[in-house]
Amino acid sequence: MRVGVIVASHGEFARAALGSVEMVAGPQQDVRALALTADKSAETFEAEFAQAYAELKAECDLIVTICDIHGGTPFNVISRSILKGMDMVAFTGLSLPVLIELLLSRDQASDADEIRGLIEAAHAQTLAEIQVEMAQGSSDEDDLDL
């Protein structure tokens, strides 16, 4: 199954996140990163989303979208697109670990439910408090107890 991905955000977050993934995992195919910038209207952003969707839908079996925050303009554009009949799996809560997992695992998924499961599992593991202590009798950072 070929999976296309649209990453959408306020500002350049989506583009920067995709750039970071590509730094770690190399160039990614079938991905569009959309930025809602201060000089762009919601209508223009919606048209860009529709174009990205159409391009990916022509080549891919499934489209997955992920945006930055619930209730923001990218979220609203995705929601309206679903209501207009665009078929996709859509999530909010964009983070680099979730995007990495999605892009590196999408080719192994056999259906939309597997994609949903991998996104939800990646999200569940994303937030963790960092707790470290110095090893007793040490003042060297290389002796951290993790």
Side-chain angles (χ1 to χ4, degrees):
M1 176 172 68
R2 191 166 167 186
V3 179
V5 177
I6 301 173
V7 186
S9 70
H10 294 84
E12 298 294 333
F13 180 43
R15 290 182 183 152
L18 178 56
S20 294
V21 170
E22 290 181 333
M23 190 174 165
V24 171
Q28 297 295 306
Q29 301 298 316
D30 300 324
V31 182
R32 303 294 186 276
L34 304 178
L36 174 64
T37 55
D39 62 337
K40 191 179 294 181
S41 70
E43 293 77 20
T44 300
F45 185 78
E46 192 159 359
E48 289 177 359
F49 183 87
Q51 180 180 348
Y53 177 87
E55 290 170 359
L56 290 171
K57 192 65 176 171
E59 301 292 326
C60 299
D61 304 304
L62 176 67
I63 307 300
V64 178
T65 63
I66 187 164
C67 65
D68 53 358
I69 57 173
H70 185 274
T73 300
F75 172 91
N76 292 331
V77 165
I78 293 166
S79 297
R80 279 193 299 275
S81 298
I82 292 169
L83 291 172
K84 290 177 183 176
M86 292 183 191
D87 184 28
M88 67 186 84
V89 172
F91 280 86
T92 185
L94 173 62
S95 71
L96 191 54
V98 169
L99 187 58
I100 288 171
E101 182 65 26
L102 171 61
L103 293 178
L104 295 183
S105 301
R106 64 185 162 150
D107 293 336
Q108 298 154 3
S110 62
D111 61 22
D113 287 336
E114 282 189 34
I115 291 286
R116 285 182 185 94
L118 76 89
I119 292 171
E120 290 168 357
H123 179 74
Q125 296 175 2
T126 350
L127 180 65
E129 182 180 2
I130 298 172
Q131 296 182 351
V132 295
E133 297 176 11
M134 295 296 286
Q136 292 216 331
S138 175
S139 62
D140 189 344
E141 289 179 6
D142 292 333
D143 293 330
L144 290 176
D145 286 335
L146 303 177

Short mmCIF file of all heavy atoms in Angstrom, two decimals, residues 29-95:
data_model
loop_
_atom_site.label_atom_id
_atom_site.label_comp_id
_atom_site.label_asym_id
_atom_site.label_seq_id
_atom_site.Cartn_x
_atom_site.Cartn_y
_atom_site.Cartn_z
N GLN A 29 9.47 10.43 -0.09
CA GLN A 29 8.57 10.55 -1.23
C GLN A 29 7.12 10.63 -0.76
O GLN A 29 6.79 10.18 0.34
CB GLN A 29 8.73 9.32 -2.15
CG GLN A 29 10.14 9.14 -2.67
CD GLN A 29 10.59 10.30 -3.53
OE1 GLN A 29 9.85 10.80 -4.38
NE2 GLN A 29 11.82 10.75 -3.31
N ASP A 30 6.28 11.18 -1.58
CA ASP A 30 4.84 11.24 -1.31
C ASP A 30 4.51 11.98 -0.02
O ASP A 30 3.64 11.56 0.75
CB ASP A 30 4.23 9.83 -1.28
CG ASP A 30 4.42 9.08 -2.59
OD1 ASP A 30 4.37 9.74 -3.65
OD2 ASP A 30 4.63 7.86 -2.55
N VAL A 31 5.21 13.08 0.23
CA VAL A 31 4.97 13.91 1.41
C VAL A 31 4.87 15.36 0.97
O VAL A 31 5.68 15.83 0.16
CB VAL A 31 6.09 13.77 2.45
CG1 VAL A 31 5.79 14.61 3.69
CG2 VAL A 31 6.32 12.32 2.84
N ARG A 32 3.91 16.07 1.54
CA ARG A 32 3.78 17.52 1.32
C ARG A 32 3.74 18.19 2.68
O ARG A 32 3.00 17.75 3.57
CB ARG A 32 2.51 17.86 0.55
CG ARG A 32 2.34 17.19 -0.78
CD ARG A 32 3.38 17.64 -1.81
NE ARG A 32 3.12 17.10 -3.12
CZ ARG A 32 3.49 15.90 -3.54
NH1 ARG A 32 4.13 15.08 -2.73
NH2 ARG A 32 3.23 15.48 -4.77
N ALA A 33 4.53 19.23 2.85
CA ALA A 33 4.52 20.03 4.08
C ALA A 33 3.94 21.39 3.75
O ALA A 33 4.44 22.09 2.86
CB ALA A 33 5.93 20.16 4.65
N LEU A 34 2.87 21.75 4.46
CA LEU A 34 2.17 23.01 4.19
C LEU A 34 2.30 23.96 5.37
O LEU A 34 2.08 23.56 6.51
CB LEU A 34 0.70 22.73 3.92
CG LEU A 34 0.39 21.75 2.79
CD1 LEU A 34 -1.11 21.55 2.67
CD2 LEU A 34 0.98 22.24 1.47
N ALA A 35 2.62 25.20 5.07
CA ALA A 35 2.82 26.22 6.11
C ALA A 35 1.77 27.31 5.98
O ALA A 35 1.65 27.94 4.93
CB ALA A 35 4.22 26.82 5.98
N LEU A 36 1.03 27.52 7.05
CA LEU A 36 0.11 28.66 7.11
C LEU A 36 0.91 29.83 7.68
O LEU A 36 1.23 29.84 8.87
CB LEU A 36 -1.09 28.34 8.01
CG LEU A 36 -2.05 29.51 8.26
CD1 LEU A 36 -2.70 29.95 6.95
CD2 LEU A 36 -3.10 29.13 9.28
N THR A 37 1.27 30.76 6.84
CA THR A 37 2.08 31.89 7.27
C THR A 37 1.21 33.13 7.43
O THR A 37 0.06 33.16 6.98
CB THR A 37 3.19 32.15 6.24
OG1 THR A 37 2.61 32.32 4.95
CG2 THR A 37 4.19 30.99 6.21
N ALA A 38 1.76 34.13 8.08
CA ALA A 38 1.01 35.35 8.38
C ALA A 38 0.50 36.06 7.13
O ALA A 38 -0.54 36.73 7.18
CB ALA A 38 1.88 36.30 9.21
N ASP A 39 1.18 35.90 6.02
CA ASP A 39 0.78 36.57 4.79
C ASP A 39 -0.17 35.73 3.93
O ASP A 39 -0.51 36.11 2.81
CB ASP A 39 2.02 36.95 3.97
CG ASP A 39 2.84 35.74 3.54
OD1 ASP A 39 2.73 34.68 4.19
OD2 ASP A 39 3.59 35.87 2.56
N LYS A 40 -0.63 34.60 4.45
CA LYS A 40 -1.47 33.69 3.68
C LYS A 40 -2.87 33.63 4.28
O LYS A 40 -3.04 33.44 5.48
CB LYS A 40 -0.83 32.30 3.70
CG LYS A 40 -1.43 31.32 2.74
CD LYS A 40 -0.70 29.99 2.83
CE LYS A 40 0.73 30.13 2.34
NZ LYS A 40 1.46 28.87 2.38
N SER A 41 -3.88 33.74 3.45
CA SER A 41 -5.26 33.64 3.94
C SER A 41 -5.63 32.18 4.15
O SER A 41 -5.00 31.28 3.60
CB SER A 41 -6.23 34.27 2.93
OG SER A 41 -6.31 33.45 1.76
N ALA A 42 -6.68 31.98 4.93
CA ALA A 42 -7.18 30.62 5.15
C ALA A 42 -7.64 30.00 3.83
O ALA A 42 -7.45 28.80 3.61
CB ALA A 42 -8.32 30.64 6.16
N GLU A 43 -8.20 30.80 2.95
CA GLU A 43 -8.67 30.31 1.65
C GLU A 43 -7.49 29.83 0.80
O GLU A 43 -7.57 28.80 0.13
CB GLU A 43 -9.46 31.39 0.92
CG GLU A 43 -10.77 31.76 1.56
CD GLU A 43 -10.64 32.66 2.79
OE1 GLU A 43 -9.58 33.33 2.97
OE2 GLU A 43 -11.59 32.68 3.60
N THR A 44 -6.40 30.59 0.81
CA THR A 44 -5.21 30.20 0.06
C THR A 44 -4.63 28.90 0.63
O THR A 44 -4.27 27.99 -0.12
CB THR A 44 -4.15 31.32 0.09
OG1 THR A 44 -4.71 32.49 -0.50
CG2 THR A 44 -2.89 30.92 -0.64
N PHE A 45 -4.57 28.82 1.94
CA PHE A 45 -4.07 27.61 2.59
C PHE A 45 -4.96 26.41 2.24
O PHE A 45 -4.46 25.32 1.95
CB PHE A 45 -3.99 27.81 4.10
CG PHE A 45 -3.37 26.66 4.83
CD1 PHE A 45 -1.99 26.50 4.84
CD2 PHE A 45 -4.15 25.74 5.50
CE1 PHE A 45 -1.41 25.43 5.51
CE2 PHE A 45 -3.59 24.67 6.17
CZ PHE A 45 -2.21 24.52 6.18
N GLU A 46 -6.26 26.62 2.24
CA GLU A 46 -7.19 25.54 1.90
C GLU A 46 -6.99 25.08 0.45
O GLU A 46 -7.03 23.88 0.16
CB GLU A 46 -8.63 25.98 2.14
CG GLU A 46 -9.62 24.85 2.08
CD GLU A 46 -10.93 25.16 2.79
OE1 GLU A 46 -11.11 26.25 3.35
OE2 GLU A 46 -11.78 24.25 2.78
N ALA A 47 -6.75 26.02 -0.44
CA ALA A 47 -6.49 25.66 -1.84
C ALA A 47 -5.18 24.87 -1.96
O ALA A 47 -5.11 23.90 -2.73
CB ALA A 47 -6.44 26.93 -2.71
N GLU A 48 -4.17 25.27 -1.22
CA GLU A 48 -2.90 24.52 -1.22
C GLU A 48 -3.10 23.11 -0.68
O GLU A 48 -2.53 22.15 -1.20
CB GLU A 48 -1.85 25.26 -0.38
CG GLU A 48 -1.34 26.53 -1.02
CD GLU A 48 -0.35 27.28 -0.13
OE1 GLU A 48 -0.08 26.83 1.01
OE2 GLU A 48 0.14 28.32 -0.59
N PHE A 49 -3.92 22.99 0.36
CA PHE A 49 -4.21 21.66 0.91
C PHE A 49 -4.91 20.80 -0.13
O PHE A 49 -4.54 19.63 -0.33
CB PHE A 49 -5.06 21.78 2.19
CG PHE A 49 -5.30 20.44 2.83
CD1 PHE A 49 -4.39 19.93 3.74
CD2 PHE A 49 -6.42 19.70 2.50
CE1 PHE A 49 -4.59 18.67 4.30
CE2 PHE A 49 -6.63 18.45 3.06
CZ PHE A 49 -5.72 17.93 3.97
N ALA A 50 -5.92 21.37 -0.79
CA ALA A 50 -6.68 20.61 -1.81
C ALA A 50 -5.76 20.17 -2.94
O ALA A 50 -5.87 19.03 -3.44
CB ALA A 50 -7.83 21.46 -2.34
N GLN A 51 -4.84 21.03 -3.35
CA GLN A 51 -3.90 20.67 -4.41
C GLN A 51 -2.96 19.55 -3.96
O GLN A 51 -2.73 18.58 -4.70
CB GLN A 51 -3.08 21.88 -4.84
CG GLN A 51 -2.09 21.55 -5.94
CD GLN A 51 -1.27 22.76 -6.38
OE1 GLN A 51 -1.57 23.89 -6.04
NE2 GLN A 51 -0.24 22.50 -7.16
N ALA A 52 -2.43 19.65 -2.75
CA ALA A 52 -1.54 18.60 -2.22
C ALA A 52 -2.29 17.28 -2.13
O ALA A 52 -1.75 16.22 -2.50
CB ALA A 52 -1.00 19.01 -0.85
N TYR A 53 -3.52 17.33 -1.65
CA TYR A 53 -4.34 16.12 -1.55
C TYR A 53 -4.54 15.49 -2.93
O TYR A 53 -4.35 14.28 -3.11
CB TYR A 53 -5.69 16.44 -0.90
CG TYR A 53 -6.61 15.25 -0.83
CD1 TYR A 53 -6.55 14.37 0.24
CD2 TYR A 53 -7.51 14.98 -1.85
CE1 TYR A 53 -7.38 13.26 0.31
CE2 TYR A 53 -8.35 13.89 -1.80
CZ TYR A 53 -8.28 13.02 -0.73
OH TYR A 53 -9.11 11.92 -0.68
N ALA A 54 -4.92 16.31 -3.92
CA ALA A 54 -5.18 15.79 -5.27
C ALA A 54 -3.93 15.16 -5.87
O ALA A 54 -4.01 14.09 -6.49
CB ALA A 54 -5.71 16.91 -6.16
N GLU A 55 -2.78 15.80 -5.69
CA GLU A 55 -1.53 15.26 -6.21
C GLU A 55 -1.22 13.90 -5.59
O GLU A 55 -0.85 12.95 -6.29
CB GLU A 55 -0.37 16.22 -5.93
CG GLU A 55 -0.42 17.49 -6.74
CD GLU A 55 0.60 18.52 -6.27
OE1 GLU A 55 1.35 18.26 -5.30
OE2 GLU A 55 0.64 19.61 -6.88
N LEU A 56 -1.35 13.81 -4.27
CA LEU A 56 -1.04 12.56 -3.59
C LEU A 56 -2.08 11.49 -3.88
O LEU A 56 -1.74 10.31 -4.06
CB LEU A 56 -0.91 12.79 -2.08
CG LEU A 56 0.32 13.59 -1.65
CD1 LEU A 56 0.25 13.94 -0.17
CD2 LEU A 56 1.61 12.83 -1.97
N LYS A 57 -3.35 11.87 -3.94
CA LYS A 57 -4.43 10.91 -4.18
C LYS A 57 -4.28 10.25 -5.55
O LYS A 57 -4.64 9.08 -5.73
CB LYS A 57 -5.79 11.60 -4.04
CG LYS A 57 -6.96 10.66 -3.99
CD LYS A 57 -6.91 9.79 -2.74
CE LYS A 57 -8.13 8.91 -2.66
NZ LYS A 57 -8.03 7.92 -1.59
N ALA A 58 -3.73 10.98 -6.50
CA ALA A 58 -3.53 10.43 -7.84
C ALA A 58 -2.49 9.31 -7.84
O ALA A 58 -2.51 8.44 -8.72
CB ALA A 58 -3.10 11.54 -8.80
N GLU A 59 -1.60 9.30 -6.85
CA GLU A 59 -0.51 8.33 -6.82
C GLU A 59 -0.59 7.33 -5.66
O GLU A 59 0.03 6.28 -5.72
CB GLU A 59 0.83 9.07 -6.70
CG GLU A 59 1.10 10.03 -7.84
CD GLU A 59 1.34 9.31 -9.17
OE1 GLU A 59 1.91 8.21 -9.14
OE2 GLU A 59 0.94 9.86 -10.22
N CYS A 60 -1.33 7.67 -4.62
CA CYS A 60 -1.29 6.88 -3.37
C CYS A 60 -2.63 6.22 -3.08
O CYS A 60 -3.69 6.72 -3.47
CB CYS A 60 -0.89 7.80 -2.21
SG CYS A 60 0.74 8.54 -2.42
N ASP A 61 -2.56 5.12 -2.34
CA ASP A 61 -3.76 4.38 -1.95
C ASP A 61 -4.44 5.01 -0.73
O ASP A 61 -5.64 4.87 -0.55
CB ASP A 61 -3.39 2.93 -1.60
CG ASP A 61 -2.68 2.25 -2.75
OD1 ASP A 61 -3.25 2.21 -3.85
OD2 ASP A 61 -1.54 1.78 -2.55
N LEU A 62 -3.65 5.65 0.11
CA LEU A 62 -4.16 6.23 1.35
C LEU A 62 -3.45 7.55 1.60
O LEU A 62 -2.24 7.65 1.37
CB LEU A 62 -3.90 5.28 2.53
CG LEU A 62 -4.29 5.75 3.93
CD1 LEU A 62 -5.80 5.88 4.06
CD2 LEU A 62 -3.74 4.79 4.98
N ILE A 63 -4.20 8.53 2.08
CA ILE A 63 -3.62 9.82 2.46
C ILE A 63 -3.75 9.96 3.98
O ILE A 63 -4.82 9.74 4.54
CB ILE A 63 -4.35 11.01 1.79
CG1 ILE A 63 -4.43 10.83 0.27
CG2 ILE A 63 -3.70 12.33 2.17
CD1 ILE A 63 -3.11 10.72 -0.43
N VAL A 64 -2.65 10.33 4.62
CA VAL A 64 -2.62 10.60 6.05
C VAL A 64 -2.24 12.07 6.23
O VAL A 64 -1.29 12.54 5.61
CB VAL A 64 -1.59 9.71 6.78
CG1 VAL A 64 -1.54 10.06 8.27
CG2 VAL A 64 -1.91 8.25 6.58
N THR A 65 -3.01 12.78 7.04
CA THR A 65 -2.68 14.16 7.34
C THR A 65 -2.43 14.29 8.84
O THR A 65 -3.08 13.61 9.65
CB THR A 65 -3.79 15.14 6.92
OG1 THR A 65 -4.97 14.88 7.66
CG2 THR A 65 -4.10 15.02 5.45
N ILE A 66 -1.51 15.16 9.16
CA ILE A 66 -1.25 15.46 10.57
C ILE A 66 -0.96 16.95 10.67
O ILE A 66 -0.20 17.50 9.88
CB ILE A 66 -0.12 14.58 11.15
CG1 ILE A 66 0.00 14.78 12.65
CG2 ILE A 66 1.17 14.78 10.42
CD1 ILE A 66 0.80 13.69 13.35
N CYS A 67 -1.63 17.58 11.63
CA CYS A 67 -1.47 19.03 11.80
C CYS A 67 -1.02 19.33 13.23
O CYS A 67 -1.00 18.46 14.08
CB CYS A 67 -2.76 19.77 11.48
SG CYS A 67 -4.15 19.43 12.57
N ASP A 68 -0.69 20.59 13.46
CA ASP A 68 -0.06 20.95 14.72
C ASP A 68 -1.03 21.02 15.90
O ASP A 68 -0.80 20.37 16.91
CB ASP A 68 0.76 22.24 14.59
CG ASP A 68 -0.02 23.41 14.00
OD1 ASP A 68 -1.20 23.26 13.63
OD2 ASP A 68 0.58 24.50 13.90
N ILE A 69 -2.09 21.81 15.82
CA ILE A 69 -2.94 21.97 17.00
C ILE A 69 -4.43 21.82 16.68
O ILE A 69 -4.90 22.22 15.62
CB ILE A 69 -2.70 23.32 17.72
CG1 ILE A 69 -2.93 24.49 16.78
CG2 ILE A 69 -1.33 23.37 18.33
CD1 ILE A 69 -2.87 25.86 17.44
N HIS A 70 -5.13 21.26 17.62
CA HIS A 70 -6.58 21.07 17.53
C HIS A 70 -7.26 22.44 17.53
O HIS A 70 -6.97 23.28 18.37
CB HIS A 70 -7.05 20.24 18.73
CG HIS A 70 -8.49 19.89 18.67
ND1 HIS A 70 -9.47 20.71 19.14
CD2 HIS A 70 -9.11 18.79 18.19
CE1 HIS A 70 -10.64 20.13 18.95
NE2 HIS A 70 -10.44 18.97 18.38
N GLY A 71 -8.13 22.64 16.58
CA GLY A 71 -8.92 23.87 16.54
C GLY A 71 -8.30 25.00 15.75
O GLY A 71 -8.96 26.01 15.50
N GLY A 72 -7.05 24.86 15.32
CA GLY A 72 -6.41 25.91 14.52
C GLY A 72 -6.83 25.83 13.07
O GLY A 72 -7.55 24.93 12.64
N THR A 73 -6.37 26.78 12.29
CA THR A 73 -6.74 26.83 10.87
C THR A 73 -6.35 25.56 10.11
O THR A 73 -7.19 25.03 9.37
CB THR A 73 -6.15 28.08 10.20
OG1 THR A 73 -6.66 29.24 10.87
CG2 THR A 73 -6.51 28.14 8.72
N PRO A 74 -5.13 25.02 10.25
CA PRO A 74 -4.85 23.76 9.54
C PRO A 74 -5.82 22.64 9.93
O PRO A 74 -6.31 21.90 9.07
CB PRO A 74 -3.41 23.44 9.95
CG PRO A 74 -2.81 24.79 10.21
CD PRO A 74 -3.92 25.56 10.88
N PHE A 75 -6.12 22.53 11.21
CA PHE A 75 -7.09 21.54 11.69
C PHE A 75 -8.45 21.77 11.03
O PHE A 75 -9.10 20.83 10.56
CB PHE A 75 -7.21 21.66 13.21
CG PHE A 75 -8.31 20.84 13.81
CD1 PHE A 75 -8.08 19.55 14.26
CD2 PHE A 75 -9.59 21.37 13.97
CE1 PHE A 75 -9.09 18.80 14.82
CE2 PHE A 75 -10.60 20.63 14.54
CZ PHE A 75 -10.36 19.33 14.97
N ASN A 76 -8.89 23.03 10.99
CA ASN A 76 -10.19 23.36 10.40
C ASN A 76 -10.22 23.07 8.90
O ASN A 76 -11.23 22.59 8.37
CB ASN A 76 -10.55 24.81 10.68
CG ASN A 76 -10.82 25.05 12.15
OD1 ASN A 76 -11.25 24.15 12.87
ND2 ASN A 76 -10.54 26.25 12.61
N VAL A 77 -9.13 23.35 8.20
CA VAL A 77 -9.05 23.04 6.77
C VAL A 77 -9.15 21.54 6.55
O VAL A 77 -9.89 21.07 5.67
CB VAL A 77 -7.75 23.62 6.17
CG1 VAL A 77 -7.44 23.02 4.81
CG2 VAL A 77 -7.84 25.15 6.09
N ILE A 78 -8.45 20.76 7.33
CA ILE A 78 -8.52 19.30 7.22
C ILE A 78 -9.94 18.81 7.52
O ILE A 78 -10.49 17.98 6.79
CB ILE A 78 -7.48 18.63 8.14
CG1 ILE A 78 -6.07 18.94 7.65
CG2 ILE A 78 -7.72 17.12 8.24
CD1 ILE A 78 -4.97 18.61 8.65
N SER A 79 -10.54 19.34 8.57
CA SER A 79 -11.90 18.94 8.94
C SER A 79 -12.89 19.24 7.81
O SER A 79 -13.73 18.40 7.46
CB SER A 79 -12.34 19.66 10.22
OG SER A 79 -11.50 19.29 11.29
N ARG A 80 -12.81 20.45 7.24
CA ARG A 80 -13.70 20.80 6.12
C ARG A 80 -13.45 19.90 4.91
O ARG A 80 -14.39 19.51 4.23
CB ARG A 80 -13.51 22.27 5.73
CG ARG A 80 -14.26 23.24 6.62
CD ARG A 80 -14.33 24.64 6.03
NE ARG A 80 -13.03 25.26 5.83
CZ ARG A 80 -12.36 25.92 6.77
NH1 ARG A 80 -12.86 26.06 7.98
NH2 ARG A 80 -11.19 26.46 6.49
N SER A 81 -12.21 19.56 4.68
CA SER A 81 -11.88 18.69 3.55
C SER A 81 -12.49 17.31 3.71
O SER A 81 -13.00 16.73 2.75
CB SER A 81 -10.35 18.58 3.40
OG SER A 81 -9.80 19.85 3.13
N ILE A 82 -12.46 16.79 4.92
CA ILE A 82 -13.10 15.49 5.19
C ILE A 82 -14.60 15.60 4.96
O ILE A 82 -15.21 14.73 4.35
CB ILE A 82 -12.77 15.01 6.63
CG1 ILE A 82 -11.28 14.67 6.72
CG2 ILE A 82 -13.63 13.81 7.00
CD1 ILE A 82 -10.79 14.44 8.16
N LEU A 83 -15.19 16.70 5.45
CA LEU A 83 -16.64 16.89 5.27
C LEU A 83 -17.01 17.03 3.79
O LEU A 83 -18.13 16.70 3.39
CB LEU A 83 -17.12 18.12 6.04
CG LEU A 83 -17.10 17.96 7.57
CD1 LEU A 83 -17.40 19.29 8.25
CD2 LEU A 83 -18.07 16.88 8.02
N LYS A 84 -16.09 17.51 2.97
CA LYS A 84 -16.32 17.64 1.53
C LYS A 84 -16.11 16.33 0.79
O LYS A 84 -16.26 16.26 -0.42
CB LYS A 84 -15.39 18.70 0.93
CG LYS A 84 -15.72 20.12 1.34
CD LYS A 84 -14.70 21.09 0.76
CE LYS A 84 -14.97 22.51 1.20
NZ LYS A 84 -13.92 23.44 0.70
N GLY A 85 -15.70 15.28 1.51
CA GLY A 85 -15.56 13.97 0.89
C GLY A 85 -14.14 13.51 0.62
O GLY A 85 -13.95 12.44 0.03
N MET A 86 -13.15 14.29 1.02
CA MET A 86 -11.78 13.83 0.83
C MET A 86 -11.51 12.71 1.83
O MET A 86 -11.68 12.88 3.03
CB MET A 86 -10.79 14.99 1.04
CG MET A 86 -10.87 16.04 -0.03
SD MET A 86 -9.61 17.31 0.26
CE MET A 86 -10.13 18.56 -0.89
N ASP A 87 -11.09 11.57 1.31
CA ASP A 87 -10.88 10.37 2.12
C ASP A 87 -9.45 10.37 2.66
O ASP A 87 -8.49 10.35 1.88
CB ASP A 87 -11.12 9.14 1.26
CG ASP A 87 -11.02 7.86 2.04
OD1 ASP A 87 -11.30 7.85 3.26
OD2 ASP A 87 -10.65 6.83 1.42
N MET A 88 -9.32 10.41 3.99
CA MET A 88 -7.99 10.44 4.60
C MET A 88 -8.06 10.00 6.05
O MET A 88 -9.12 10.02 6.66
CB MET A 88 -7.39 11.85 4.51
CG MET A 88 -8.13 12.89 5.34
SD MET A 88 -7.54 14.59 5.10
CE MET A 88 -8.48 15.06 3.65
N VAL A 89 -6.92 9.63 6.58
CA VAL A 89 -6.74 9.43 8.01
C VAL A 89 -6.14 10.74 8.51
O VAL A 89 -5.15 11.21 7.95
CB VAL A 89 -5.79 8.26 8.30
CG1 VAL A 89 -5.45 8.17 9.77
CG2 VAL A 89 -6.39 6.95 7.79
N ALA A 90 -6.73 11.34 9.53
CA ALA A 90 -6.28 12.67 9.96
C ALA A 90 -6.06 12.72 11.47
O ALA A 90 -6.88 12.23 12.23
CB ALA A 90 -7.30 13.72 9.55
N PHE A 91 -4.94 13.32 11.85
CA PHE A 91 -4.58 13.48 13.26
C PHE A 91 -4.12 14.91 13.51
O PHE A 91 -3.62 15.59 12.62
CB PHE A 91 -3.45 12.53 13.65
CG PHE A 91 -3.88 11.13 13.92
CD1 PHE A 91 -3.99 10.22 12.88
CD2 PHE A 91 -4.19 10.72 15.20
CE1 PHE A 91 -4.39 8.91 13.12
CE2 PHE A 91 -4.59 9.42 15.46
CZ PHE A 91 -4.70 8.51 14.41
N THR A 92 -4.26 15.32 14.75
CA THR A 92 -3.66 16.55 15.23
C THR A 92 -2.61 16.17 16.27
O THR A 92 -2.57 15.04 16.73
CB THR A 92 -4.74 17.48 15.84
OG1 THR A 92 -4.15 18.72 16.19
CG2 THR A 92 -5.42 16.86 17.04
N GLY A 93 -1.72 17.10 16.62
CA GLY A 93 -0.69 16.80 17.61
C GLY A 93 0.65 16.48 16.96
O GLY A 93 1.39 15.61 17.42
N LEU A 94 0.97 17.18 15.88
CA LEU A 94 2.24 16.95 15.18
C LEU A 94 3.43 17.05 16.12
O LEU A 94 3.56 18.01 16.88
CB LEU A 94 2.39 17.99 14.05
CG LEU A 94 3.72 18.01 13.32
CD1 LEU A 94 3.98 16.69 12.62
CD2 LEU A 94 3.76 19.17 12.33
N SER A 95 4.27 16.05 16.07
CA SER A 95 5.56 16.08 16.78
C SER A 95 6.57 15.34 15.91
O SER A 95 6.20 14.50 15.08
CB SER A 95 5.45 15.41 18.16
OG SER A 95 5.31 14.02 18.03
#
